[in-house]
Amino acid sequence: MPNAVRMSPLIGLPLSLLAGVAIPSQARVNGALGERLGDGLGAALISFIVGLVVMVVISAALPRGRAGAGQLIPALRERRFPRYYVLAGMIGGYFVLSQTLTVAVLGVAVFTVATVAGQTLTGLVVDRLGIGPAGKKALTIMRVVGAVLTIAAVAWAVSPKLGAGTEPSEWLLPVLLPLTAGMLMSFQQAMNGTTGMHYGTPITATLVNFISGTVLLAVLWGIKVAVSGLGNPLPTEWWLYLGGPLGCVFIGVGALLVRSLGVLLTSLGLIGGQLIGSLLLDIVFPAPGSTVVAATVLGTLLTLLAIVVATLPWNMPGARPWRSRTPR
C-alpha cells in the first residue's frame, strides 16, 4: 500500500470541521433546488452533474489530478482494492437524493441529526471490519454506549414531529431516508480513503465518486421522466447550483483526512461541522415552514455528547474490547 503523507490533527481536525459545514449548506441548496424544480430526483442529478464538471476541470488542470487519473485503470486491473469501491459515489447519490426530498419537511437540523445517527451506528461496523485505511478497530463498551446515546438523541430531536398530531407516514419516511443515508456514509468515507491512497490523491477518488453517482441518478431520473414527465424549468439563481461544489469539498477533504486521522477522528470532525452548521442555518436562515425548538437543540447537543463518548480512547479504564471480557 502506498505511503500516505501524515497530517497533524491540529490542522486536520479544523479542516474536517469546515468540510462538515458544507453538508448542511448543501442540504439547504439542494432542498431549495428540488422545490423550485418540483423534482427532487432532478435536483440531485443536477447537483452531481455540476460537481462532476468541477472535478473534471480540477483533474485536468492539476498535475496531481492527472497523475491520479492515470492510476485509475492500473489500480483496478491490479486489484489494489475491491473493485466495487469505485461505486462508493452511488452512496453519495442516495445521500443527495435524501437531502432534496426531506430537508423542506424536516429542516436542516433534524436532517443532520438523523444522518449523524446513521454514521455513528455504522461507524462501529466499519471500524470492526477494517474497511478504512486505518485497519480493524476493536469494538469497545464506550462506543456501544455512544451508539445507544445517539439513538436516544435522534428520538429526542425528532420528538416534535412525532407529537405534532401528524400521521406516521408523514414523518417516518422523511426521517428514515437521511438515517439510512448516514449509515451508508461511513462505508463511503472508508472506501474513498482507501481508493484515494492507491490513486495517490483524493482528487481522483472524488472524481470517481461523482461519475458513479451521476450514472445512478441519471438512470433513476430517466425512469422518473418516462413515468411522470419533466419538472419545472431550471431556475436562474446561481446559488441553487452550488450543491455539487459543496459536495466536492466534503468528499475530497474526507478522503484526504481519513488517511492521516483515521476514520474515527475524521468522522468526528465532519460530524461536528455538520451539527454546528445545521443549527446555524436553521437559526439564522430558517427554511419556510421549519422551526428550531428546544428538543432539536438539546437532541443535537446529546448527539455531540454521544459522538465524544463513542470516540473516547480505547485504552481508557472500562473501555476494553468486547472480546477481552470473555472469561478464559
Side-chain angles (χ1 to χ4, degrees):
M1 183 177 292
N3 293 327
V5 177
R6 297 292 174 180
M7 181 183 298
S8 167
L10 295 177
I11 299 175
L13 284 175
L15 281 178
S16 65
L17 282 170
L18 290 175
V21 173
I23 286 299
S25 302
Q26 183 191 49
R28 176 62 60 80
V29 170
N30 287 341
L33 179 59
E35 284 190 282
R36 292 291 300 276
L37 291 175
D39 182 357
L41 186 54
L45 177 59
I46 290 172
S47 177
F48 258 74
I49 290 175
V50 174
L52 177 58
V53 171
V54 170
M55 291 313 304
V56 168
V57 171
I58 292 175
S59 298
L62 298 182
R64 292 193 65 183
R66 295 193 296 271
Q71 289 296 312
L72 175 58
I73 300 302
L76 292 173
R77 185 173 56 244
E78 297 168 9
R79 297 182 182 271
R80 299 176 189 173
F81 50 80
R83 290 181 176 177
Y84 64 84
Y85 277 25
V86 300
L87 301 179
M90 293 186 176
I91 296 175
Y94 176 64
F95 179 81
V96 171
L97 179 59
S98 72
Q99 288 178 339
T100 62
L101 294 177
T102 64
V103 165
V105 177
L106 300 174
V108 177
V110 175
F111 171 88
T112 303
V113 169
T115 58
V116 165
Q119 286 177 272
T120 303
L121 292 173
T122 53
L124 294 169
V125 179
V126 170
D127 283 333
R128 182 61 177 163
L129 296 178
I131 297 175
K136 292 185 178 181
K137 301 294 183 182
L139 179 62
T140 66
I141 296 174
M142 299 306 293
R143 284 195 59 109
V144 174
V145 171
V148 173
L149 281 176
T150 300
I151 296 173
V154 173
W156 195 1
V158 302
S159 60
K161 299 288 182 182
L162 309 184
T166 58
E167 294 295 326
S169 59
E170 296 181 27
W171 55 260
L172 182 58
L173 182 58
V175 169
L176 286 179
L177 281 175
L179 178 65
T180 53
M183 293 173 70
L184 292 171
M185 281 181 66
S186 294
F187 292 93
Q188 183 192 32
Q189 289 173 2
M191 293 158 73
N192 286 340
T194 299
T195 57
M197 181 179 295
H198 287 286
Y199 298 143
T201 173
I203 295 174
T204 306
T206 307
L207 172 65
V208 174
N209 264 248
F210 275 95
I211 292 174
S212 60
T214 299
V215 170
L216 172 65
L217 291 172
V219 171
L220 295 177
W221 183 75
I223 296 173
K224 179 264 175 187
V225 169
V227 172
S228 58
L230 295 170
N232 299 325
L234 293 175
T236 57
E237 293 90 338
W238 62 270
W239 61 271
L240 289 173
Y241 301 96
L242 292 179
L246 289 169
C248 293
V249 172
F250 180 81
I251 296 172
V253 173
L256 171 66
L257 295 180
V258 76
R259 299 162 55 186
S260 300
L261 305 181
V263 176
L264 287 177
L265 282 179
T266 301
S267 296
L268 178 61
L270 293 173
I271 287 171
Q274 289 176 58
L275 292 173
I276 294 169
S278 66
L279 273 180
L280 288 176
L281 277 176
D282 273 357
I283 292 173
V284 180
F285 302 107
S290 69
T291 58
V292 177
V293 296
T296 301
V297 176
L298 294 174
T300 300
L301 293 176
L302 182 57
T303 304
L304 282 171
L305 174 62
I307 294 165
V308 173
V309 170
T311 54
L312 287 174
W314 291 317
N315 59 357
M316 289 185 63
R320 297 174 298 164
W322 282 104
R323 62 173 179 271
S324 66
R325 302 176 63 209
T326 303
R328 297 186 179 182

Short mmCIF file of all heavy atoms in Angstrom, two decimals, residues 51-70 201 203-204 207 211:
data_model
loop_
_atom_site.label_atom_id
_atom_site.label_comp_id
_atom_site.label_asym_id
_atom_site.label_seq_id
_atom_site.Cartn_x
_atom_site.Cartn_y
_atom_site.Cartn_z
N GLY A 51 -21.09 18.98 -9.86
CA GLY A 51 -19.91 18.50 -9.15
C GLY A 51 -18.97 17.73 -10.05
O GLY A 51 -17.74 17.86 -9.94
N LEU A 52 -19.51 16.94 -10.95
CA LEU A 52 -18.68 16.17 -11.89
C LEU A 52 -17.90 17.10 -12.81
O LEU A 52 -16.71 16.88 -13.07
CB LEU A 52 -19.57 15.23 -12.70
CG LEU A 52 -18.86 14.40 -13.79
CD1 LEU A 52 -17.76 13.54 -13.19
CD2 LEU A 52 -19.88 13.54 -14.54
N VAL A 53 -18.55 18.14 -13.31
CA VAL A 53 -17.86 19.10 -14.17
C VAL A 53 -16.71 19.76 -13.42
O VAL A 53 -15.60 19.91 -13.95
CB VAL A 53 -18.85 20.17 -14.69
CG1 VAL A 53 -18.10 21.30 -15.40
CG2 VAL A 53 -19.87 19.54 -15.63
N VAL A 54 -16.96 20.14 -12.16
CA VAL A 54 -15.91 20.76 -11.34
C VAL A 54 -14.73 19.81 -11.19
O VAL A 54 -13.57 20.21 -11.34
CB VAL A 54 -16.47 21.16 -9.97
CG1 VAL A 54 -15.34 21.58 -9.02
CG2 VAL A 54 -17.47 22.30 -10.11
N MET A 55 -15.00 18.53 -10.90
CA MET A 55 -13.92 17.57 -10.68
C MET A 55 -13.17 17.23 -11.96
O MET A 55 -11.96 16.99 -11.94
CB MET A 55 -14.47 16.29 -10.05
CG MET A 55 -14.96 16.46 -8.62
SD MET A 55 -13.81 17.37 -7.55
CE MET A 55 -12.30 16.41 -7.73
N VAL A 56 -13.85 17.23 -13.10
CA VAL A 56 -13.17 17.01 -14.37
C VAL A 56 -12.19 18.15 -14.65
O VAL A 56 -11.04 17.93 -15.06
CB VAL A 56 -14.19 16.87 -15.52
CG1 VAL A 56 -13.48 16.95 -16.88
CG2 VAL A 56 -14.95 15.56 -15.40
N VAL A 57 -12.63 19.38 -14.41
CA VAL A 57 -11.77 20.54 -14.62
C VAL A 57 -10.56 20.49 -13.69
O VAL A 57 -9.41 20.71 -14.11
CB VAL A 57 -12.56 21.85 -14.40
CG1 VAL A 57 -11.62 23.06 -14.41
CG2 VAL A 57 -13.63 22.00 -15.47
N ILE A 58 -10.80 20.19 -12.40
CA ILE A 58 -9.70 20.11 -11.43
C ILE A 58 -8.73 19.00 -11.80
O ILE A 58 -7.50 19.18 -11.75
CB ILE A 58 -10.26 19.89 -10.01
CG1 ILE A 58 -11.01 21.14 -9.55
CG2 ILE A 58 -9.14 19.54 -9.03
CD1 ILE A 58 -11.68 20.98 -8.21
N SER A 59 -9.27 17.85 -12.18
CA SER A 59 -8.42 16.71 -12.54
C SER A 59 -7.56 17.00 -13.76
O SER A 59 -6.41 16.55 -13.85
CB SER A 59 -9.27 15.46 -12.79
OG SER A 59 -9.97 15.08 -11.63
N ALA A 60 -8.11 17.75 -14.70
CA ALA A 60 -7.36 18.06 -15.92
C ALA A 60 -6.36 19.19 -15.68
O ALA A 60 -5.29 19.22 -16.32
CB ALA A 60 -8.33 18.45 -17.03
N ALA A 61 -6.67 20.10 -14.76
CA ALA A 61 -5.83 21.28 -14.58
C ALA A 61 -4.65 21.04 -13.66
O ALA A 61 -3.59 21.65 -13.84
CB ALA A 61 -6.68 22.44 -14.04
N LEU A 62 -4.81 20.17 -12.68
CA LEU A 62 -3.75 19.97 -11.68
C LEU A 62 -2.90 18.75 -12.02
O LEU A 62 -3.44 17.70 -12.39
CB LEU A 62 -4.36 19.80 -10.29
CG LEU A 62 -5.17 20.98 -9.75
CD1 LEU A 62 -5.68 20.67 -8.35
CD2 LEU A 62 -4.34 22.26 -9.75
N PRO A 63 -1.58 18.85 -11.87
CA PRO A 63 -0.71 17.70 -12.14
C PRO A 63 -1.07 16.48 -11.30
O PRO A 63 -1.06 15.35 -11.81
CB PRO A 63 0.69 18.23 -11.79
CG PRO A 63 0.59 19.71 -11.97
CD PRO A 63 -0.80 20.07 -11.56
N ARG A 64 -1.40 16.67 -10.04
CA ARG A 64 -1.77 15.53 -9.19
C ARG A 64 -3.07 14.90 -9.66
O ARG A 64 -3.25 13.68 -9.53
CB ARG A 64 -1.89 15.97 -7.73
CG ARG A 64 -0.58 16.38 -7.09
CD ARG A 64 -0.70 16.48 -5.59
NE ARG A 64 -0.97 15.18 -4.99
CZ ARG A 64 -1.18 15.00 -3.68
NH1 ARG A 64 -1.17 16.04 -2.87
NH2 ARG A 64 -1.42 13.80 -3.21
N GLY A 65 -3.96 15.72 -10.17
CA GLY A 65 -5.21 15.18 -10.70
C GLY A 65 -4.97 14.32 -11.92
O GLY A 65 -5.55 13.24 -12.05
N ARG A 66 -4.10 14.78 -12.81
CA ARG A 66 -3.79 13.99 -14.00
C ARG A 66 -3.05 12.71 -13.63
O ARG A 66 -3.31 11.64 -14.19
CB ARG A 66 -2.96 14.82 -14.97
CG ARG A 66 -3.70 16.04 -15.54
CD ARG A 66 -2.95 16.64 -16.71
NE ARG A 66 -1.65 17.18 -16.33
CZ ARG A 66 -1.45 18.43 -15.91
NH1 ARG A 66 -2.49 19.27 -15.80
NH2 ARG A 66 -0.24 18.87 -15.60
N ALA A 67 -2.13 12.82 -12.66
CA ALA A 67 -1.39 11.63 -12.23
C ALA A 67 -2.33 10.62 -11.59
O ALA A 67 -2.22 9.40 -11.82
CB ALA A 67 -0.28 12.02 -11.26
N GLY A 68 -3.26 11.09 -10.76
CA GLY A 68 -4.21 10.19 -10.11
C GLY A 68 -5.11 9.51 -11.12
O GLY A 68 -5.39 8.31 -11.00
N ALA A 69 -5.57 10.26 -12.13
CA ALA A 69 -6.42 9.67 -13.16
C ALA A 69 -5.66 8.59 -13.93
O ALA A 69 -6.24 7.58 -14.34
CB ALA A 69 -6.91 10.75 -14.12
N GLY A 70 -4.36 8.79 -14.08
CA GLY A 70 -3.54 7.79 -14.76
C GLY A 70 -3.39 6.51 -13.96
O GLY A 70 -3.06 5.46 -14.52
N THR A 201 -4.03 10.42 -4.66
CA THR A 201 -4.65 11.73 -4.45
C THR A 201 -6.14 11.57 -4.22
O THR A 201 -6.78 10.71 -4.87
CB THR A 201 -4.42 12.67 -5.66
OG1 THR A 201 -5.18 13.87 -5.46
CG2 THR A 201 -4.86 12.02 -6.96
N ILE A 203 -8.25 13.63 -5.19
CA ILE A 203 -8.91 14.23 -6.35
C ILE A 203 -9.56 13.16 -7.21
O ILE A 203 -10.72 13.27 -7.62
CB ILE A 203 -7.90 15.07 -7.18
CG1 ILE A 203 -7.40 16.25 -6.36
CG2 ILE A 203 -8.55 15.53 -8.48
CD1 ILE A 203 -6.30 17.04 -7.05
N THR A 204 -8.82 12.10 -7.48
CA THR A 204 -9.34 11.03 -8.34
C THR A 204 -10.45 10.26 -7.63
O THR A 204 -11.43 9.87 -8.27
CB THR A 204 -8.21 10.07 -8.74
OG1 THR A 204 -7.16 10.83 -9.34
CG2 THR A 204 -8.70 9.04 -9.73
N LEU A 207 -13.45 12.37 -8.04
CA LEU A 207 -13.92 12.31 -9.43
C LEU A 207 -14.70 11.03 -9.69
O LEU A 207 -15.80 11.06 -10.27
CB LEU A 207 -12.72 12.40 -10.37
CG LEU A 207 -13.01 12.17 -11.86
CD1 LEU A 207 -13.91 13.26 -12.41
CD2 LEU A 207 -11.71 12.08 -12.66
N ILE A 211 -18.67 10.36 -10.85
CA ILE A 211 -19.02 9.60 -12.05
C ILE A 211 -20.07 8.54 -11.72
O ILE A 211 -21.13 8.47 -12.37
CB ILE A 211 -17.77 8.95 -12.66
CG1 ILE A 211 -16.83 10.01 -13.23
CG2 ILE A 211 -18.17 7.96 -13.77
CD1 ILE A 211 -15.50 9.46 -13.71
#
